[in-house]
């Protein structure tokens, strides 16, 4: 059974930091591309950051230079270090795992709430 479990969300003041984790089980983690998405109330889910199986990364323009995505294949875990948080970063953050072979397999976590407010 595949599970992606996000943790580390919470309430933080503007300018603060949070570190999200996504622990994966039931998949061969190292071969999956991993990503963080977020969805704010009334908005569509958007891609925040992605890290490939080879370690290449990419970011949404809105979070570049503030957020850092990383992965630890030995721990089957992905991370998102979020610094200089802004109120507009408030959203539910979701973990996504994707593998593309003959077909594409995608899994989602249930999300963790991040609220940036004074």
């Amino acid at each position: 059974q595949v599970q992606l479990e996000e943790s580390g969300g919470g309430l933080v003041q503007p300018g603060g930091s949070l570190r999200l984790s996504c622990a994966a089980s039931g998949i061969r983690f190292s071969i999956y591309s991993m990503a963080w998405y977020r969805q704010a109330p009334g908005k569509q889910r958007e891609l925040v950051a992605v890290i490939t199986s080879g370690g290449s990364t990419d970011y949404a323009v809105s979070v570049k230079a503030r957020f850092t995505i990383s992965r630890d294949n030995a721990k089957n875990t992905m991370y998102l270090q979020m610094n200089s948080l802004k109120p507009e970063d408030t959203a539910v953050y979701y973990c996504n795992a994707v593998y593309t072979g003959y077909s594409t397999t995608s899994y989602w976590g249930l999300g963790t709430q991040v609220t940036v407010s004074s």
Side-chain angles (χ1 to χ4, degrees):
Q1 182 183 357
V2 177
Q3 268 195 311
L4 299 179
E5 186 171 0
E6 302 95 338
S7 61
L11 174 64
V12 63
Q13 291 187 341
S17 298
L18 281 175
R19 187 195 196 204
L20 304 184
S21 298
C22 170
S25 59
I27 60 172
R28 192 177 159 193
F29 181 78
S30 63
I31 68 172
Y32 278 73
S33 286
M34 301 295 297
W36 289 98
Y37 286 75
R38 67 186 181 187
Q39 187 167 19
K43 295 189 176 180
Q44 288 190 329
R45 192 173 294 191
E46 63 174 355
L47 177 64
V48 175
V50 60
I51 183 166
T52 68
S53 57
S56 298
T57 59
D58 201 5
Y59 298 88
V61 171
S62 60
V63 307
K64 233 169 190 176
R66 299 189 298 123
F67 290 9
T68 302
I69 190 171
S70 61
R71 65 190 297 163
D72 185 338
N73 289 340
K75 295 183 178 180
N76 288 354
T77 302
M78 172 181 65
Y79 305 96
L80 185 68
Q81 178 65 44
M82 304 187 295
N83 299 328
S84 302
L85 282 161
K86 304 175 181 180
E88 51 263 44
D89 294 318
T90 295
V92 178
Y93 283 70
Y94 296 92
C95 171
N96 175 244
V98 174
Y99 175 72
T100 301
Y102 291 107
S103 61
T104 297
T105 303
S106 178
Y107 300 103
W108 290 90
L110 296 179
T112 186
Q113 176 71 47
V114 171
T115 302
V116 185
S117 175
S118 54

